[in-house]
Amino acid sequence: MSNRIIVPVDFSEDSVNALEYAVEIANRAGSDIIMVYVVKTGRFDFLRGVETVANKGDFENFQEKYQPVLKGKLSWEVKKGVVSVEIINLAEEQKAWLIVMGSHGVSGLMENWMGSNAFKVVSLSKCPVLTVRGEFKKRSIENLVLPIDNTWASRHKIPAAVEMAGLFGSSKIGRAHV
């Protein structure tokens, strides 16, 4: 297992919640965490310039708060480009074993029309992605649910889920019949 977890941050409550989950997972797995903020670019950026919301002080505040409780190293990177692409690229460059990211819960027509960053990362990433909804506040992870079907893509998730279950001492396996 690689020793890196990628956590996209946009300083929202959802991304902070994801970071807190990542710290617990990292401590159990002996992993470092790399936070990433992506400055979105678009086709008209040459007309207005690209500005960043994040600054060094934001990351330093996170480091001050979370480094003392993290056994590994906490670092950050700022990327520029398409959010989902930059997150996936960083995970591949760093050989991350996991991406933990907040999800705002975009669904239905909006998701189909424009897509959400979390949906794109989950769909395209080669490494496992744990998405955490903002309203699902950090608590102990005791059981995991792994919805699978008979496809290769679905069965391919089993080793990562078993590894995650082992980190948390989860022994229950639930099955749903459809």
Side-chain angles (χ1 to χ4, degrees):
M1 172 191 316
S2 165
N3 68 343
R4 293 178 194 92
I5 298 174
I6 303 298
V7 182
V9 294
D10 61 5
F11 305 99
S12 68
E13 184 178 333
D14 292 332
S15 68
V16 172
N17 192 37
L19 178 59
E20 291 179 354
Y21 271 100
V23 167
E24 182 171 351
I25 294 166
N27 282 339
R28 290 174 183 259
S31 298
D32 296 332
I33 294 176
I34 302 171
M35 300 178 290
V36 60
Y37 179 85
V38 180
V39 179
K40 293 185 242 179
T41 58
R43 61 182 153 173
F44 298 111
D45 289 337
F46 67 94
L47 295 175
R48 60 178 167 79
V50 178
E51 297 183 19
T52 180
V53 174
N55 66 51
K56 188 177 177 184
D58 294 324
F59 287 111
E60 288 172 346
N61 289 339
F62 272 16
Q63 226 170 2
E64 210 172 280
K65 181 175 182 179
Y66 294 104
Q67 185 61 71
V69 295
L70 179 65
K71 294 176 185 173
K73 180 182 173 192
L74 180 62
S75 60
W76 74 84
E77 292 198 24
V78 177
K79 299 286 188 179
K80 183 172 149 183
V82 177
V83 175
S84 57
V85 171
E86 294 302 323
I87 292 167
I88 292 167
N89 286 345
L90 181 63
E92 289 177 5
E93 289 167 17
Q94 294 294 326
K95 296 177 177 52
W97 73 275
L98 181 66
I99 298 170
V100 180
M101 66 186 298
S103 172
H104 302 293
V106 175
S107 62
L109 179 61
M110 184 185 255
E111 183 173 73
N112 291 328
W113 179 62
M114 67 178 215
S116 73
N117 290 317
F119 179 78
K120 290 175 187 173
V121 171
V122 167
S123 299
L124 301 172
S125 176
K126 292 177 185 170
C127 75
V129 180
L130 174 64
T131 59
V132 181
R133 295 280 304 254
E135 62 270 10
F136 193 76
K137 297 299 179 203
K138 186 179 164 298
R139 61 183 184 188
S140 175
I141 298 173
E142 297 170 7
N143 299 307
L144 300 174
V145 176
L146 176 64
I148 60 171
D149 57 27
N150 199 28
T151 62
W152 176 87
S154 186
R155 292 188 317 262
H156 185 66
K157 299 172 187 174
I158 295 171
V162 169
E163 186 173 11
M164 184 70 73
L167 290 175
F168 287 91
S170 180
S171 60
K172 292 185 181 179
I173 298 175
R175 294 186 345 188
H177 298 279
V178 181

